[in-house]
Amino acid sequence: AAAAKKKPKKGKTLTLTDFLAEDGGGGGGPTYIPKPVSWADETDDLEVSTTWHSNDDDVYRAPPIDRSILPTAPRAAREPNIDRSRLPKSPPYTAFLGNLPYDVTEESIKDFFRGLNISAVRLPREPTNPERLKGFGYAEFEDIDSLFQALSLNEEVSPVPASKSTS
């Protein structure tokens, strides 16, 4: 009866270093204790040249940067990032128009794409409120080149029409 009432062994709190230093019965090899290293000691071994070089032997000069590919370049300087292989091979040539104002009209969309062969504009409306547009639409073009040029206008903003004054 005395053997059945064994007290559970109480765990001993160890620091991580002490725990790792104890032989867990698996390795049996020597314990690795890293010696402290100062970053200053490590940098003493680096070879640093203190002489100035003239520009003609400066092998570390970076190649000139083509600023037209940077995201901060003006849009006119960047080429459109459109993969022609992902465009449809046959009609309909439709472009999604997102982030449209709720008061946009088909005419203002056609005016925005003037010069392109646009054949149709679809502006979906809210089913619960047929007066209100959903804020997106579709423009269909007659040819692949017009679709490509329209997609090149990505993130372009239509100029706000001047308000009509009555005098």
Side-chain angles (χ1 to χ4, degrees):
K5 287 191 170 187
K6 263 190 175 178
K7 286 187 176 180
K9 289 186 179 180
K10 190 167 185 175
K12 183 169 90 174
T13 303
L14 297 173
T15 66
L16 180 60
T17 308
D18 292 339
F19 174 76
L20 294 175
E22 283 189 5
D23 184 16
T31 304
Y32 172 72
I33 300 174
K35 64 177 185 176
V37 177
S38 165
W39 64 269
D41 294 337
E42 290 180 352
T43 57
D44 285 343
D45 297 337
L46 295 176
E47 290 183 26
V48 179
S49 172
T50 57
T51 59
W52 291 97
H53 298 284
S54 63
N55 286 339
D56 52 339
D57 65 5
D58 189 1
V59 294
Y60 299 108
R61 179 180 301 266
I65 297 171
D66 179 6
R67 298 200 186 285
S68 68
I69 62 170
L70 295 176
T72 56
R75 283 194 187 100
R78 288 186 266 159
E79 287 189 23
N81 188 15
I82 301 166
D83 184 1
R84 277 193 177 260
S85 68
R86 296 186 62 200
L87 297 180
K89 305 288 183 244
S90 59
Y93 302 112
T94 306
F96 172 80
L97 311 173
N99 202 20
L100 296 176
Y102 293 114
D103 60 349
V104 73
T105 63
E106 287 187 25
E107 286 307 312
S108 63
I109 302 261
K110 288 180 180 177
D111 188 46
F112 179 76
F113 290 118
R114 78 176 158 271
L116 304 181
N117 296 324
I118 190 166
S119 58
V121 174
R122 293 190 311 267
L123 299 172
R125 298 183 179 278
E126 294 286 349
T128 56
N129 183 2
E131 296 294 314
R132 183 178 166 108
L133 297 173
K134 287 190 171 185
F136 66 90
Y138 304 92
E140 193 170 311
F141 297 92
E142 294 177 13
D143 55 71
I144 191 80
D145 291 327
S146 291
L147 174 64
F148 182 78
Q149 288 178 355
L151 293 174
S152 304
L153 297 172
N154 187 27
E155 296 184 22
E156 291 294 321
V157 178
S158 176
V160 178
S163 59
K164 296 177 183 173
S165 61
T166 55
S167 48

